[in-house]
Amino acid sequence: MTRGTILRRTIATPLILSALLVAIAVLAFAVGSRPFNQTVIDLFLMVIFVVGLQVFVGNSGVISFGHIAFACLGGYVAAWTTIKPVLKSAAMPGLPDWLMGLEIPFWAAAIAGALWAALWAGLFGAILMRLSGIAASIATFAMLAMVNAIYSNWTSVTAATSSVVGIPILRTTWPYLAAAVIAIFIAWAYAISRHGLALRAARDEPTAAAASGVNIPRARFIAFVLSGAVMGMGGALYAHSIGLVTPDTYYLGLTFTTLSMLVVGGMGSLSGAVLGVVILSALIQGLRWLEAGVQIGNSTFALPGGVQEIGLGVVMILILMFRPAGIMGNSELSLPRRRRGGAENPGQTGPNT
Amino acid sequence: MASLLQVLFDALSLGSLYALGALGIALIFGVMRLVNFAHGDVIAFSLFALLWPSTDAVAIVFAGNLPWFLLIPFTLAIGAGLSVLSELVVFRRFRRANPATMMIASFALGFVIRYFLLMLFTSRPKSIALLPALSQPVEILGARIPLLQLITILVTLAVLIGLTLFLRRTRFGLEMRAAAENFTMARMLGVRANRVIMGAFALSGALAAASALILGSQTGTANIMMGANVMLMAFIATVIGGMGSLAGAVLAGFLLGAIATVMQVILPPDARAFRDAFVYGAVILVLIFRPQGLLSARGAKERV
């Protein structure tokens, strides 16, 4: 099979997913309510995070608990480069002079965040990608805790655990939509590249892949750096969506939310990653709405705080029990094919010959 | 000399805490290849079970007022009970799942437990006075050691000896070791799988409760996140120790405690806040040179 055929057969997936996101953005624009707008922004950010996570976890099969650390790196890059110098010198006096005077637009900060995160993903990845299975997962957890410990204590540069405020807030959905679409196309392009194919082969049959000449640590390393970059971009934009950063914004809570979205959708599938975000965001929003209280007749009915997270956890356990491969499994959303209709795995590129 | 002794006791008591946690995680990993992320939340739950649900900053101590000879068994029973319950309700259905799926399920379960506690107690840390008699210092060879530290070390040693005897001398212990070595083979030879797994969960839960008592009386606060740090160190200890090797887990737990305490002493004051980051970094270094851990269990190697 040539590259052209793979491209033509799979291009429908990112296009459908992007169209879905555009439809959501247009809906938010048409409704015009500010809380709904914010919800949609959150959804796009989660798409970036979960797609970034999927690039590594989905293709390599190694669960990573540490990717939110890269979002943290990206988020602080946004704080370092976009806050007004006056505010910056008060909150983070330890920054070098050239960084102190810098004030760049958000998109440049997102790119800088991606590059900074990719750099650290490269450094960590060079070490961690030698491990596999559970040892690798726990080492990524150690990486998350390490980054959190550093950013929570390095007072002069990160203001320790107190929040760094003054990051310019972006309230329109379009930049987030653009970034989410870019993330989807990056993930797709990686998945059909030779590195992506090699890594998936190593995920399914490590011995056979190694015997066919796949350098597994190297293949994992490439995916790790790429997904780190996507997470860094997401982290920087996340900082712009709420206007502040703290180390604990990017810690266990976000790790759990993004992992559950990925697992619910289906780790092995890009469509699963996006659908998982959409479905769980709707669920979370519904539960939040109930927590805030609903008027039924004369009485207000409200669930106690914490129900949202409990609900999320329970849904995740149930999905793992009954559909361990997630909603999408390993398949992708795709247009029905004209010839040879009803292939059992639409979107799969089939055996390479 | 006195300060050296102080450092030694600090290292041993911190190491004890990590070793107890690591043992709780390694026990379950040994019998069913589950990395139990809910362990830290079982620790928090066991401590909060002693309090009455409230949103105040000062805890309303409820069962915690029991005399110590009732308090300790009560807490251990709570921990063991919750752990067994999680096996019955959740993990039993994941027997055939791959380790990654189980790991994420336990992550989700831990989240559910934590937010259940948050719902009842809010996320604010609560101050509690648990076994206050233990905070008095005792003098040994000129060093003033908190009595609690001494008890922590002694209790851990007692638990380790007890567990070793249990695993080596009783039939149940034998079955558990056999199951950890080769689960399928053990089942074929007539070991009852469910009983062994349930036993491992009960023991692990009781160990979590013991950690909870030690942590609670050491810090004087109850916090729904209190288990997270110990659990993370315990994970790392089990990985460094060689997944599934109980002796390795204990050894690595003490090693981590020693590294953390020594770093606290030798690092320059500016860098002390980053102690944990240095410990995690050291862990990653160990993993480069011995990816299978210090004492690798026989069943843990990947087979082709």
Side-chain angles (χ1 to χ4, degrees):
Chain A
M1 188 185 288
T2 62
R3 189 128 311 262
T5 3
I6 297 181
L7 203 106
R8 239 175 301 130
R9 278 212 191 163
T10 56
I11 185 77
T13 305
L15 289 178
I16 294 174
L17 296 174
S18 307
L20 176 70
L21 296 187
V22 170
I24 292 174
V26 168
L27 180 69
F29 185 69
V31 171
S33 109
R34 209 157 126 191
F36 187 59
N37 210 40
Q38 196 61 39
T39 309
V40 170
I41 290 176
D42 279 347
L43 184 139
F44 290 154
L45 287 167
M46 288 301 156
V47 168
I48 302 172
F49 287 141
V50 177
V51 166
L53 196 58
Q54 199 270 339
V55 169
F56 179 71
V57 176
N59 291 307
S60 74
V62 176
I63 307 282
S64 167
F65 292 102
H67 269 64
I68 292 303
F70 300 130
C72 180
L73 294 171
Y76 273 87
V77 166
W80 290 337
T81 55
T82 60
I83 297 180
K84 294 209 178 310
V86 187
L87 283 172
K88 226 189 286 184
S89 60
M92 303 176 286
L95 288 179
D97 287 338
W98 62 272
L99 203 53
M100 194 67 91
L102 205 64
E103 205 183 337
I104 59 175
F106 76 91
W107 55 267
I111 294 172
L115 292 176
W116 177 243
L119 172 73
W120 283 99
L123 291 175
F124 278 117
I127 300 166
L128 297 182
M129 293 306 108
R130 298 191 201 181
L131 302 170
S132 51
I134 287 169
S137 298
I138 288 176
T140 58
F141 208 123
M143 178 185 79
L144 175 69
M146 191 169 161
V147 170
N148 186 267
I150 293 174
Y151 275 65
S152 313
N153 288 301
W154 202 349
T155 318
S156 64
V157 178
T158 64
T161 47
S162 45
S163 33
V164 179
V165 294
I167 302 169
I169 301 183
L170 288 171
R171 292 206 195 282
T172 53
T173 50
W174 309 115
Y176 304 101
L177 172 67
V181 169
I182 290 172
I184 289 174
F185 272 89
I186 289 177
W188 164 76
Y190 173 74
I192 64 163
S193 73
R194 58 189 294 253
H195 302 295
L197 291 171
L199 188 54
R200 282 207 300 287
R203 172 194 72 187
D204 296 336
E205 285 294 341
T207 320
S212 322
V214 174
N215 182 345
I216 298 178
R218 205 180 99 91
R220 281 192 188 146
F221 175 80
I222 294 168
F224 198 69
V225 172
L226 191 65
S227 70
V230 175
M231 300 303 279
M233 173 179 80
L237 289 172
Y238 192 62
H240 281 290
S241 80
I242 50 178
L244 54 87
V245 282
T246 64
D248 285 346
T249 315
Y250 303 99
Y251 201 38
L252 298 176
L254 197 54
T255 300
F256 176 72
T257 317
T258 48
L259 260 185
S260 47
M261 285 169 171
L262 184 60
V263 168
V264 166
M267 286 194 282
S269 147
L270 179 60
S271 320
V274 177
L275 288 183
V277 173
V278 173
I279 292 167
L280 282 196
S281 294
L283 181 75
I284 291 173
Q285 211 47 46
L287 288 167
R288 271 201 197 138
W289 184 62
L290 287 180
E291 269 180 15
V294 186
Q295 284 278 337
I296 301 173
N298 290 326
S299 55
T300 316
F301 166 74
L303 294 173
V307 169
Q308 173 217 329
E309 284 84 358
I310 295 178
L312 199 60
V314 170
V315 167
M316 199 161 143
I317 293 174
L318 289 177
I319 289 188
L320 286 174
M321 262 181 209
F322 297 111
R323 240 191 122 93
I327 295 169
M328 292 300 292
N330 270 333
S331 56
E332 298 284 1
L333 287 179
S334 178
L335 298 173
R337 229 169 286 153
R338 252 168 275 161
R339 276 158 294 159
R340 292 188 294 129
E344 61 268 39
N345 259 340
Q348 280 296 60
T349 47
N352 269 345
T353 44
Chain B
M1 177 62 208
S3 66
L4 203 66
L5 205 65
Q6 179 69 54
V7 171
L8 181 71
F9 272 91
D10 281 350
L12 280 176
S13 71
L14 191 63
S16 303
L17 203 55
Y18 294 160
L20 284 180
L23 206 51
I25 285 166
L27 267 174
I28 293 182
F29 184 84
V31 293
M32 62 182 291
R33 297 279 168 268
L34 160 69
V35 180
N36 190 8
F37 270 90
H39 196 74
D41 300 291
V42 175
I43 294 179
F45 188 91
S46 314
L47 190 61
F48 274 97
L50 304 178
L51 313 176
W52 191 253
S54 78
T55 52
D56 303 333
V58 176
I60 303 171
V61 180
F62 168 59
N65 283 332
L66 293 169
W68 66 269
F69 55 88
L70 290 177
L71 175 73
I72 293 172
F74 175 79
T75 319
L76 295 186
I78 292 275
L82 179 66
S83 194
V84 167
L85 192 69
S86 70
E87 206 282 313
L88 287 177
V89 177
V90 178
F91 295 121
R92 179 152 293 192
R93 287 162 225 278
F94 287 95
R95 275 305 143 72
R96 296 228 177 81
N98 68 354
T101 312
M102 281 201 286
M103 184 160 69
I104 295 185
S106 74
F107 202 61
L109 179 71
F111 215 67
V112 170
I113 296 175
R114 189 176 324 147
Y115 278 89
F116 177 71
L117 290 177
L118 182 130
M119 210 161 81
L120 296 181
F121 295 94
T122 75
S123 63
R124 211 172 347 156
K126 291 170 183 301
S127 62
I128 52 167
L130 200 65
L131 306 171
L134 295 185
S135 45
Q136 284 153 8
V138 286
E139 230 173 281
I140 301 173
L141 298 175
R144 288 168 72 81
I145 314 280
L147 184 57
L148 181 63
Q149 230 175 37
L150 210 58
I151 291 185
T152 305
I153 299 168
L154 291 179
V155 164
T156 309
L157 285 181
V159 167
L160 292 181
I161 294 170
L163 201 64
T164 314
L165 287 180
F166 171 76
L167 289 175
R168 301 242 168 235
R169 295 289 157 85
T170 63
R171 183 182 167 77
F172 196 77
L174 182 73
E175 288 183 355
M176 205 175 257
R177 280 189 301 139
E181 190 87 6
N182 187 337
F183 194 70
T184 326
M185 190 64 189
R187 281 191 84 165
M188 284 173 186
L189 295 175
V191 169
R192 266 171 285 175
N194 283 340
R195 230 182 53 164
V196 166
I197 288 178
M198 202 103 91
F201 269 95
L203 271 177
S204 158
L207 286 171
S211 315
L213 282 175
I214 293 172
L215 264 178
S217 33
Q218 239 171 27
T219 58
T221 49
N223 180 343
I224 57 167
M225 292 295 291
M226 61 186 282
N229 196 26
V230 175
M231 179 181 69
L232 190 54
M233 282 296 183
F235 273 141
I236 290 171
T238 39
V239 173
I240 299 183
M243 305 271 348
S245 154
L246 297 182
V250 171
L251 185 73
F254 278 109
L255 192 67
L256 279 179
I259 295 176
T261 314
V262 169
M263 284 203 178
Q264 183 78 36
V265 176
I266 61 166
L267 284 179
D270 290 343
R272 265 180 213 161
F274 302 105
R275 183 192 80 181
D276 284 357
F278 280 107
V279 176
Y280 299 132
V283 165
I284 293 177
L285 282 180
V286 169
L287 287 178
I288 302 176
F289 294 111
R290 285 197 70 98
Q292 293 294 342
L294 298 174
L295 307 179
S296 56
R298 239 169 290 165
K301 286 208 186 76
E302 280 176 46
R303 297 204 187 105
V304 174

